[in-house]
Amino acid sequence: MLVSGNGQVLLKGKNTITTDIDCLAHAEINLIRAASKKYDHCILNNCTIYTSDEPCPMCTSAIYWSGIGRIVYGLSKKTYYQIVGRNDPNWVFELPVRDVLANGGRKVDVIGPLLEEEASILHKL
């Protein structure tokens, strides 16, 4: 979900990897694609993206390049992999969002993990 600086929900995104048959169609990427067509970098810099899970390195980079100024997430990658496992190396990329952003020139605020128990329910179904 993308929220403006004054708390207004601007856009919502959802994961369409399976339905679109597109390995890049993470919820964050879909949201950023829509947001970048509608809002310029200055507006996005005052926005917050809320995600259920800690964004992967691809999504974190897209958030950075979009200009979005803050990330708030629920479930950490560490806890995510404790739940789903690390059995398939093709699906393990355990690089924390803060580590990705530490290499950028622009500051992006990161808040999380928050409410991990509640966020983890999505992966225990």
Side-chain angles (χ1 to χ4, degrees), residues 41-52:
H41 194 270
C42 293
I43 290 173
L44 291 173
N45 191 252
N46 291 308
C47 290
T48 300
I49 188 168
Y50 290 88
T51 65
S52 55

Side-chain angles (χ1 to χ4, degrees), residues 25-99:
H26 294 199
E28 298 92 335
I29 298 296
N30 291 337
L31 179 94
I32 291 164
R33 283 179 176 149
S36 65
K37 291 176 184 173
K38 195 169 183 176
Y39 304 106
D40 69 22
H41 194 270
C42 293
I43 290 173
L44 291 173
N45 191 252
N46 291 308
C47 290
T48 300
I49 188 168
Y50 290 88
T51 65
S52 55
D53 293 357
E54 183 174 3
C56 72
M58 174 185 71
C59 291
T60 300
S61 297
I63 292 166
Y64 176 85
W65 290 115
S66 74
I68 293 171
R70 180 179 299 120
I71 300 168
V72 177
Y73 67 90
L75 189 67
S76 68
K77 280 291 177 208
K78 179 181 177 184
T79 304
Y80 170 82
Y81 284 118
Q82 288 172 352
I83 295 167
V84 303
R86 295 174 176 86
N87 300 331
D88 185 349
N90 293 311
W91 296 106
V92 177
F93 200 161
E94 201 167 346
L95 184 60
V97 65
R98 287 176 177 88
D99 290 356

Side-chain angles (χ1 to χ4, degrees), residues 96-114:
V97 65
R98 287 176 177 88
D99 290 356
V100 175
L101 294 171
N103 293 290
R106 179 177 74 81
K107 183 179 182 325
V108 179
D109 294 326
V110 178
I111 301 170
L114 299 172

